[in-house]
Amino acid sequence: MSLPGRFFRSRRRRDAELEAELSSHLALDIDARIARGESPDDARRNAQQDFGNTVTVREVTTDMWSGETMHQLIQDFRHAVRSLARVPGFTAIAILTLALGIGANTAIFSVINGVILRPLPYPKPDQLIYINSQFPTLGFSQFWMDAAEFLEFRERNQSFQRVGAYTTGAVNVGTDASPQRVTSALVSDGFMETFGVAPLQGRTFTASETIPTAPLVGILSYELWQTAFGGHPVVGTQVQIDGVPRTIVGVMPPGFDVHDQGVKIWLPLRLDPAQIKQYRGGHYLYLIGRLKDGISLQGARAELETLLANWPAADGAVANAAPGAPGFIHTPNNKLHRVQYAGLQADMIGSIGKALWILQAAVIVVLLIACANLANLLLMRAETRQKELALRAALGAGRGRLVRLFMTESLVLSLSGAAAGVALAFVGLRTLVAAGASSIPRSGAIEMDGTVFAFTLALGVGCGLVFGLAPLLHLSTNSLGMALREAGSRTTGIAARNKLRRALVVTEMALAVTLVIGAGLLLRSFWNLMNVDAGFDRSHLSTFSVALPTRVYTDSVKRVLFFDNLMAQIGAVPGVQGAAVMSGLPPRRRVNANDTQFEGFTPKPNGVGPQSNVDYYQYASPNYFSTMKIPIVAGRSFGPSDGPLSPPVLLINETTAHMYYPNESPIGRRIKPSGDTVWFTIV
């Protein structure tokens, strides 16, 4: 026989034995009283009066039995279900209210758990540090490092056991007939080892494969291996990558990525340490380092200050030499060109962590409003049950028993609401992640796991305890006695219950007003963002990107011809007013921060005032401004005369004009980008 069956069989037997024993005691007392001369009726009445309430005696006795707690819980649960089933409207409203509140909390906590609380899926993730540079005077708080800085930093630092560098891009994988455009990453040797992750198949890059003359190799992500190659053996085979065959040497395990970039293929970063001088100033690398055992982030930052102070001298730079002056070497220092550390996970999360916690606080307020509302409903329902409670008390039910009765009903409601909330959270979470996967870091780690279910269970129990406390005011001795004396009429609520109702209503209103104000401010901010002047007419614009295989389009002439033909064909489509080609679409474009010479402008030393640097250079076809409806406020736009054989020209925006030529017209002035040999005239 099963354990529950044995339990209930033993319970029935003990109940029968207790009932027989109580009846035996009463019978013996009645017989003794009759023997002393009392009439049978008087003997039975007096024996019952002296013995006391048999219900109370039975409960006190059974409370001492083993397993009685489980029996009482089951009994209370059955009664709670029957009681709530008699009021289906109230029960449905209560469960739905809780489901919405608990479901919202569960969904948001699932995001927080996956994004913030769950550590990165690498060995000792706290040792992984994100390393980048910054230029305070240029306004770049987080910038790339150049290859020379990477090679020198890897050699000179004493805090990291490994340092790897990477940069992301995009490549075409497969033949020209059916290529697949995927995110790629160029990584240094030992990059995967920095994360402590071994490949699922094959191997990682060797140091000999990261020099410029090495054979072309690549490593696939597990996801690309499955989608593009069907999971078939691929290690050792050659794959067309941007039209060039590369040998695949490994496949990484599922989910392996860097900084949430969605990298699908890994290629070696080919650097020649002997040519380190040629790499200075070309910032395009981010670094990932793994701290040595026993080294903290604070300790590494202390060592970095010493490293930055000595870096220029170690490279042979003249102290305090200005850019372009004799003896100047572009190298990190502790003033104008710093290097900074941040925990990898903290950097990945960024400012969204604070936003998620604020959102969690907001949905908790929603749940508190739901609890206050349910407490009021339960308080009103308890008013209608005073006669029932008074009768139970008169029959011997103790205060603890009545308290347990209310709390069980509350827990049945709250746990039912939590179960419904989990279902709502599951649907809502999938919708949230699908809609905002690109804007939520670590979205792949968001799921409803054991931690989330434990959180939901705690919410359900907590809510049951919170709103289940309100009806307990009806269990005072005075209220129960009044209910018995008021023959059939409803008792008037005592002052404490009236105060509680008013307090609950005030609490609901205060929390609701707080949420409404916060939502209003959020909507106003969103409206303001939607109405920011982007500098161009956003209506009726469509855009797409085109990636040309470098093996086919080997020079600029072929590329220009391709885009000229493409624009002509698009422009011939009915309904198209104009078509243009540009190298980057505002405002979502990658800052490249080019050092630039401005004719007639001399930068001030020590980073004071504007510096000779341009955040972004954009290449565009002549009809770009008319297609985007960007107004030309001075001078002219590009024209047919601005061809490949004519003097080079460019346009600047008003910010650049005011910064470098505040008191004169910039038209006719010249600009020379860093690394260029010709001057461009501002038109």
Side-chain angles (χ1 to χ4, degrees), residues 285-485:
L285 295 176
Y286 284 127
L287 276 56
I288 304 291
R290 178 175 287 278
L291 292 170
K292 294 179 180 178
D293 294 336
I295 301 295
S296 65
L297 180 57
Q298 291 73 21
R301 285 173 174 162
E303 189 232 349
L304 175 63
E305 294 301 319
T306 303
L307 187 63
L308 290 174
N310 298 328
W311 205 320
D315 288 340
V318 175
N320 300 320
F328 172 80
I329 296 178
H330 185 88
T331 189
N333 55 70
N334 52 12
K335 292 183 179 180
L336 304 180
H337 180 187
R338 294 188 56 82
V339 175
Q340 60 182 353
Y341 299 157
L344 179 58
Q345 182 167 354
D347 189 83
M348 289 174 62
I349 297 171
S351 60
I352 198 173
K354 183 183 295 184
L356 288 176
W357 284 117
I358 293 175
L359 186 58
Q360 182 72 72
V363 294
I364 287 177
V365 171
V366 173
L367 184 58
L368 290 176
I369 293 176
C371 288
N373 191 28
L374 285 178
N376 245 331
L377 292 176
L378 287 174
L379 199 58
M380 295 175 62
R381 183 167 182 262
E383 288 280 0
T384 65
R385 301 177 63 189
Q386 277 197 287
K387 293 298 185 296
E388 173 195 344
L389 300 177
L391 184 59
R392 287 178 177 273
L395 292 176
R399 182 179 176 85
R401 182 71 170 177
L402 297 177
V403 168
R404 198 168 65 221
L405 178 67
F406 274 117
M407 296 308 299
T408 303
E409 289 188 8
S410 300
L411 288 174
V412 169
L413 280 177
S414 62
L415 293 179
S416 300
V422 168
L424 292 177
F426 180 77
V427 176
L429 189 62
R430 295 186 63 179
T431 304
L432 177 66
V433 173
S438 60
S439 59
I440 302 177
R442 304 190 64 196
S443 59
I446 299 174
E447 61 180 1
M448 297 181 66
D449 58 6
T451 302
V452 174
F453 288 126
F455 172 81
T456 306
L457 179 61
L459 274 184
V461 174
C463 290
L465 295 177
V466 168
F467 65 72
L469 293 175
L472 300 185
L473 290 176
H474 288 271
L475 301 184
S476 65
T477 304
N478 292 336
S479 63
L480 292 177
M482 186 181 297
L484 284 175
R485 291 191 297 270

Side-chain angles (χ1 to χ4, degrees), residues 99-115:
L100 293 174
I102 294 178
N105 276 271
T106 299
I108 300 303
F109 181 77
S110 298
V111 178
I112 290 178
N113 181 57
V115 174

Side-chain angles (χ1 to χ4, degrees), residues 513-525:
V513 168
T514 302
L515 280 180
V516 169
I517 292 175
L521 293 174
L522 185 64
L523 287 174
R524 188 177 72 173
S525 299

Side-chain angles (χ1 to χ4, degrees), residues 546-606:
V546 176
L548 300 180
T550 57
R551 183 177 60 86
V552 178
Y553 297 90
T554 55
D555 54 46
S556 60
V557 176
K558 291 183 178 180
R559 290 192 288 271
V560 170
L561 181 61
F562 170 86
F563 285 114
D564 284 343
N565 293 333
L566 178 63
M567 284 189 295
Q569 294 183 45
I570 294 177
V573 175
V576 175
Q577 299 180 8
V581 174
M582 72 289 293
S583 58
L585 188 68
R588 296 186 64 182
R589 52 192 181 191
R590 203 173 187 181
V591 172
N592 47 28
N594 292 272
D595 290 335
T596 302
Q597 294 185 49
F598 290 85
E599 187 179 46
F601 173 79
T602 302
K604 297 180 181 180
N606 300 321

Side-chain angles (χ1 to χ4, degrees), residues 196-217:
V197 177
L200 181 67
Q201 294 184 8
R203 59 175 176 82
T204 59
F205 301 129
T206 63
S208 61
E209 291 170 334
T210 58
I211 59 176
T213 58
L216 300 180
V217 294

Side-chain angles (χ1 to χ4, degrees), residues 502-514:
R502 289 193 292 268
L504 289 173
V505 172
V506 170
T507 300
E508 285 186 70
M509 291 297 296
L511 293 175
V513 168
T514 302

Side-chain angles (χ1 to χ4, degrees), residues 257-274:
D257 196 9
V258 54
H259 213 278
D260 216 20
Q261 297 291 314
V263 176
K264 296 296 186 294
I265 189 167
W266 309 82
L267 307 175
L269 176 65
R270 297 152 68 91
L271 298 175
D272 185 0

